[in-house]
Amino acid sequence: MFEWEKDIDAVVYFYNLNDILVCPEIESRRKYIIDFQNIKLENVKRSRNSITKLLSKSNIYRLIENLLILSRETHLTVENYLDMYFNPINSDEFEKTIGFLVSMSNVAKERNVNFYVVIYPLLYKDIYGRYSFLQVHELLKNICEKHNIPCIDAYPAFANRYSLKKFTVHPIDYHPNRIANERVVEYLSKKDDFLQGYK
């Protein structure tokens, strides 16, 4: 829970997809959540035998190898995120997370403070330009609606982009950079139903 100042009119909570609590089984998979996984490429390079070293001199071979590795690791990472929200093994932690969200909203209402949730997308699309977490966004929006918590999905601010790499801090760090945050703020500023009376 957060501290309150007397002159607060509104609280905007930017919900990131990894804000959810996770059980030990899912926590043990955290090794997959590293750049979807460029670090794996370095491990493969070090483990090559004489044949693969020879083949790796081919640009086409290296390209295919990289795509296969990244495809596999991306699948594992996407699966991990979806398990956080939809797999029964994490249901207790999911309910606790939602409970914290509802508690913050209730505390705000008690103090006559507006409380808003903004769902911040995970800044990754696959090689086909697809975003893999829309069902998570829908789940969160439905839960907020159920508990009468105003919620805005920030994904549309990035929906028309084929790649989201320019919005990340670093190729191996998918946190949003300044450009991403500015894009989200610009998107929110155009929402007529957002922060009414506080623009």
Side-chain angles (χ1 to χ4, degrees), residues 2 4 8-15 101 104-106 108-109 113-119 144 148-153 188 191-199:
F2 38 76
W4 292 89
I8 287 179
D9 293 317
V11 172
V12 181
Y13 177 60
F14 282 76
Y15 183 95
L101 201 61
M104 287 189 284
S105 175
N106 290 339
K109 289 175 182 177
V113 172
N114 292 286
F115 181 79
Y116 302 87
V117 170
V118 174
I119 303 172
C144 285
N148 296 314
I149 301 173
C151 175
I152 291 183
D153 186 359
L188 295 178
K191 300 290 288 183
D192 293 335
D193 56 344
F194 184 70
L195 288 179
Q196 294 181 11
Y198 297 98
K199 293 183 179 180

Side-chain angles (χ1 to χ4, degrees), residues 89-145:
I89 65 172
N90 204 52
S91 59
D92 289 344
E93 284 72 16
F94 174 71
E95 291 300 327
K96 289 177 186 175
T97 303
I98 299 305
F100 287 132
L101 201 61
V102 173
S103 293
M104 287 189 284
S105 175
N106 290 339
V107 171
K109 289 175 182 177
E110 291 170 3
R111 290 163 171 74
N112 199 30
V113 172
N114 292 286
F115 181 79
Y116 302 87
V117 170
V118 174
I119 303 172
Y120 209 119
L122 185 64
L123 295 175
Y124 173 79
K125 288 187 177 182
D126 65 18
I127 60 174
Y128 303 105
R130 297 175 302 195
Y131 182 70
S132 303
F133 308 102
L134 289 177
Q135 57 185 310
V136 176
H137 288 237
E138 287 301 318
L139 174 65
L140 292 170
K141 286 190 293 185
N142 290 338
I143 288 173
C144 285
E145 182 178 355

Side-chain angles (χ1 to χ4, degrees), residues 167-181:
F167 300 107
T168 61
V169 171
H170 188 272
I172 60 171
D173 186 344
Y174 279 72
H175 285 89
N177 60 19
R178 175 184 56 81
I179 301 173
N181 291 329

